[in-house]
Amino acid sequence: MVNRSPEIDVSVFADRTAFDEAVQRARHAATAYYDTGDAVMTDADYDALADRIAASIAARPEWDDQGVTTAVAAGASAGGDVRHPTAMLSLDKIKTPEEVAAFVATLGGDACLVEVKLDGLAIRAEYVDGRLVLAALRGDGTTGEDVTAQVRRGVAGLPSELATPWTGEVRGEVYMTVEDFEAASANRVAAGGKAFVNSRGAVAGAIRSIDRAYAAPMTFATYEIVGDGVDASGTHLARMDRAEELGFPAACRLIPEVAGECFTAEQVTAAIDLIGARRSTLVFPIDGAVIKADAEATRRRLGLASRTPYWAVAFKYPPDTASTVLRDIEVRVGRTGRISLRAVIDPVHVSGTTVTKATLHNPQWVAEQGLAIGQTVAVWRAGDVIPRVTSPIGEQPHGLTPWVAPEVCPQCGEPWDKSSLLWRCHTASCAAANALAYWCSREALDVDGAGDSFCDAVIEAGLARNVADLYALTVDDIAELPVGKTTAGGTVMLGRSNAERIIAGLEASKQQPFNRVVTGLGIRMTGRSVGRWLAARFKSMTALRAATVEEIAEIDKMGLIKAQHVVDGLVAMSDVIDRLAGYGLTMEVVDDGGAKPLAGQTYVVSGSVPGYTRTTVSERIEALGGSASSSVSAKTTALVTAETTTAKAKKAAQLGIPVIAPEEFAHMLS
Ligand code: IVH
């Protein structure tokens, strides 16, 4: 079922003063939204305000004496110096299944399409003989800003030169993928600027600055095309085929499963639901779905209103961002010893749940934003991910003191290591507490069902202080551990079946190979590779504990510093290791007695090998007597990869080292 938004206030303003003040606020927000990318209020709050303005105008038309308030209600931005040959339209918004059905009914049985509504900026680009001659933003729909030079700096999907000497115009959305947004934001901070608030804001900021000092990768997808070889009286799908032929990605095909025609409200609703379900995992940002008639004949029959077509509507998903008040910031130490900040906020409804806690980036970000307790903030929750505070919203209230992070770790009272953005605590007691989750992770002992919330709960309940304590736990001990909260604020308990699964997982972990036990100890500066090297070189915990720093440092790529950490770590965990041995964990390399066909050989695996993870493929090579390395050298027997253009592949070619395809290697290993 299409989600319903919680009830919103669409009441008419009480008087002219309140109305004018609301118009001012909406205008200010719209300017910020389109022109600087700054967040003054959340999209949901803006939409609600615009709805109230529209409702007020409907009830009191005389209030709209300047004739501009309708534009505000439609979310208009300032225009620019490029006049659009035909208006760049906006879309009417709908939110309920009834509205979907009503729209589908107007199509009279004609086909429509459901596609993603990308959350970026509308842009149009003119080409003459295959060369980009003009790119302009939507602006107020009639005129927009010239961004030709910026687009020529590079927007994926909107090339400066096409392979074909095509003349025509494409319209669409310029946006940032999630990854590009993170990169652009980091680049801007590195260049001395502020982090971007959201990806649409980042596009608005980046595409306007001609001489920006930071890289900001952007992407284009089209939803309209006119020009050579484009059938203006055919279907949208046929036009999008032509666009793709020319090299422009089509918005309607970004999620291939919904790229077909729909005829009934049920089909449309199913497509909307499918896009909604994918929303949190998409690599591009969306703020809704667009439902549009496919055939030009249908579009002509339905026609246009002044700013919006009757042949298309935008379905808005319930907002995944809401605004609320920051009440406290709790500082905790995460499983890797890194600082983690948790915002305590006034309860707020977002993406279908009530949220009272949210994560925050890092202390530096908080300081840059000047965040203060009592400030209004935007909280973002996509799908099932942990809610996150993304930005302060609106004006900073006077008299609030910016929040300052504590100088010491709240768990042990020692000063932070501030050498990276996510400060760390390295003390032994904290490390021991955070070590549980690492021990249980896939990289190490791979204990089924024992995730972060279980490990946190075990520590908080005082049931375990180190990894050895896990093996003394019983189902009864852990079945009632609190591991989460319900939407209503109640406690979620682990439960017996999960508890049984974890205890079974711990039992099964006793069969894991020795290298994983070494890795699982979580010694500083070591990971699964070091675990495997140590296991391969020393074969048993007894031999490993007896090894000197120099002996360990002799292992290729190990070095004295890591070796010293290994020796120190083993001493610090001496009791834990003894107890683990007592519980039956594997404390030596178990030789399966099988043949060692790879003895003396060294393989470098780049990319994935079918049927193996990165860890298990290395383990298998070693079980067969070979060694696994990460860099190609003259000693390499063969490189396993499907690529031909990577640095490793080139180096292998230079050195004359054979390359084996991953499938073939999988076959060899079996
Ligand atoms: S069709 C007739 N399709 O949404 C108007 N618009 O409120 C043509 N948008 O500014 C719009 N994704 O930039 C259409 N797949 C899509 C879209 C899309 C994003 C934007 C568009 C416009 C706004 C309409």
Side-chain angles (χ1 to χ4, degrees):
M1 255 320 270
V2 167
N3 262 315
R4 278 170 186 281
S5 306
E7 290 310 313
I8 44 164
D9 177 13
V10 283
S11 62
V12 170
F13 287 104
D15 55 44
R16 181 68 199 256
T17 315
F19 173 80
D20 284 346
E21 190 269 333
V23 171
Q24 278 301 326
R25 265 194 298 143
R27 271 202 183 141
H28 174 57
T31 310
Y33 175 111
Y34 284 101
D35 297 344
T36 61
D38 293 334
V40 172
M41 59 180 82
T42 65
D43 291 2
D45 290 343
Y46 178 83
D47 287 348
L49 186 62
D51 285 348
R52 289 191 68 188
I53 292 172
S56 302
I57 295 170
R60 307 289 296 268
E62 69 278 14
W63 284 357
D64 192 20
D65 47 13
Q66 293 172 46
V68 291
T69 41
T70 339
V72 167
S77 92
D81 20 0
V82 176
R83 182 157 291 274
H84 303 311
T86 59
M88 292 189 74
L89 299 173
S90 154
L91 293 170
D92 263 347
K93 292 169 190 147
I94 62 170
K95 290 183 184 133
T96 66
E98 292 75 24
E99 289 169 310
V100 170
F103 174 75
V104 173
T106 64
L107 299 172
D110 289 357
C112 67
L113 309 166
V114 181
E115 55 189 61
V116 289
K117 184 168 186 297
L118 290 161
D119 194 11
L121 291 188
I123 194 169
R124 84 182 169 83
E126 291 178 12
Y127 286 83
V128 173
D129 295 332
R131 303 196 57 191
L132 175 78
V133 293
L134 174 79
L137 297 179
R138 173 173 177 273
D140 62 8
T142 311
T143 61
E145 195 172 324
D146 185 336
V147 289
T148 316
Q150 293 89 311
V151 169
R152 287 207 179 111
R153 281 182 70 168
V155 170
L158 203 52
S160 299
E161 194 116 18
L162 302 175
T164 325
W166 181 74
T167 297
E169 184 200 85
V170 280
R171 293 182 178 197
E173 199 85 352
V174 56
Y175 64 93
M176 275 187 197
T177 63
V178 175
E179 205 177 301
D180 288 349
F181 163 65
E182 302 280 347
S185 218
N187 294 343
R188 196 191 199 202
V189 170
K194 279 180 82 174
F196 287 116
V197 164
N198 56 37
S199 72
R200 188 208 44 245
V203 173
I207 206 158
R208 284 199 158 74
S209 47
I210 301 176
D211 48 5
R212 66 183 138 80
Y214 56 92
M218 287 176 261
T219 309
F220 170 80
T222 182
Y223 48 72
E224 299 216 295
I225 184 165
V226 290
D228 291 350
V230 180
D231 180 3
S233 57
T235 63
H236 182 76
L237 286 179
R239 285 194 292 274
M240 290 298 108
D241 286 341
R242 176 72 179 134
E244 287 183 330
E245 243 170 58
L246 291 165
F248 304 111
C252 63
R253 303 223 170 85
L254 288 178
I255 302 186
E257 292 88 326
V258 296
E261 294 173 313
C262 294
F263 295 92
T264 65
E266 289 69 37
Q267 289 170 332
V268 170
T269 303
I272 289 174
D273 285 346
L274 195 135
I275 296 176
R278 291 280 179 84
R279 191 174 173 197
S280 63
T281 53
L282 295 174
V283 297
F284 42 82
I286 68 166
D287 61 346
V290 181
I291 314 162
K292 51 176 75 162
D294 186 24
E296 196 54 31
T298 318
R299 295 185 178 191
R300 288 196 187 138
R301 179 165 61 74
L302 293 173
L304 306 176
S306 65
R307 308 182 136 263
T308 57
Y310 288 117
W311 49 259
V313 285
F315 179 89
K316 294 284 256 185
Y317 293 102
D320 59 7
T321 302
S323 57
T324 185
V325 177
L326 178 67
R327 291 297 171 200
D328 193 12
I329 296 178
E330 296 173 352
V331 178
R332 310 203 307 167
V333 188
R335 72 179 175 86
T336 54
R338 294 209 171 94
I339 188 170
S340 94
L341 302 182
R342 200 155 69 154
V344 180
I345 50 181
D346 280 351
V348 62
H349 196 81
V350 53
S351 300
T353 40
T354 301
V355 171
T356 56
K357 300 266 170 72
T359 62
L360 282 159
H361 293 264
N362 57 57
Q364 188 184 321
W365 182 86
V366 174
E368 275 168 13
Q369 307 286 329
L371 265 194
I373 305 305
Q375 164 124 51
T376 303
V377 292
V379 175
W380 174 76
R381 178 179 182 272
D384 295 328
V385 305
I386 300 168
R388 171 175 285 269
V389 170
T390 57
S391 64
I393 284 278
E395 304 270 302
Q396 161 109 24
H398 291 294
L400 296 183
T401 330
W403 182 80
V404 180
E407 284 301 313
V408 298
C409 165
Q411 230 166 266
C412 65
E414 291 297 314
W416 300 108
D417 163 2
K418 295 188 179 175
S419 55
S420 68
L421 271 185
L422 280 179
W423 303 348
R424 300 174 68 113
C425 174
H426 297 306
T427 59
S429 65
C430 280
N434 302 324
L436 293 201
Y438 186 62
W439 175 269
C440 296
S441 71
R442 286 182 64 187
E443 196 158 294
L445 278 293
D446 197 8
V447 180
D448 189 28
D452 286 359
S453 51
F454 164 74
C455 294
D456 280 355
V458 173
I459 292 161
E460 262 167 42
L463 288 176
R465 303 185 55 194
N466 57 51
V467 296
D469 293 340
L470 291 176
Y471 292 89
L473 297 174
T474 64
V475 172
D476 287 335
D477 288 340
I478 61 173
E480 292 181 6
L481 276 180
V483 288
K485 287 258 181 273
T486 65
T487 42
T491 303
V492 176
M493 289 194 299
L494 185 64
R496 281 203 83 77
S497 66
N498 285 326
E500 280 161 8
R501 184 167 148 219
I502 292 172
I503 298 297
L506 285 164
E507 195 53 38
S509 72
K510 295 177 184 174
Q511 304 306 317
Q512 291 283 16
F514 176 51
N515 66 290
R516 287 184 179 246
V517 174
V518 178
T519 300
L521 296 176
I523 294 169
R524 199 155 124 64
M525 288 186 73
T526 71
R528 55 192 167 170
S529 301
V530 174
R532 286 194 288 94
W533 300 342
L534 292 172
R537 165 72 179 76
F538 296 101
K539 308 277 193 270
S540 76
M541 190 61 88
T542 313
L544 177 58
R545 286 163 106 178
T548 62
V549 172
E550 289 71 26
E551 281 167 343
I552 295 173
E554 271 168 27
I555 297 176
D556 199 18
K557 283 190 267 166
M558 194 75 178
L560 278 170
I561 297 176
K562 267 189 199 161
Q564 185 68 56
H565 279 299
V566 171
V567 169
D568 294 348
L570 290 169
V571 170
M573 298 195 70
S574 189
D575 292 346
V576 173
I577 295 170
D578 289 342
R579 288 179 55 216
L580 288 171
Y583 284 119
L585 274 293
T586 311
M587 290 295 162
E588 59 189 15
V589 174
V590 180
D591 192 339
D592 59 5
K596 300 279 178 252
L598 304 186
Q601 304 181 9
T602 300
Y603 290 87
V604 175
V605 178
S606 168
S608 59
V609 174
Y612 294 90
T613 67
R614 280 173 21 167
T615 305
T616 58
V617 78
S618 303
E619 285 172 353
R620 181 70 186 145
I621 293 170
E622 282 160 11
L624 296 173
S627 49
S629 168
S630 57
S631 55
V632 176
S633 74
K635 287 188 230 154
T636 308
T637 310
L639 168 68
V640 179
T641 184
E643 306 290 331
T644 53
T645 55
T646 57
K648 279 188 183 132
K650 286 182 186 152
K651 182 139 187 221
Q654 260 172 23
L655 297 172
I657 287 163
V659 173
I660 304 179
E663 294 71 26
E664 190 189 335
F665 193 62
H667 187 68
M668 250 175 83
L669 293 179
S670 64

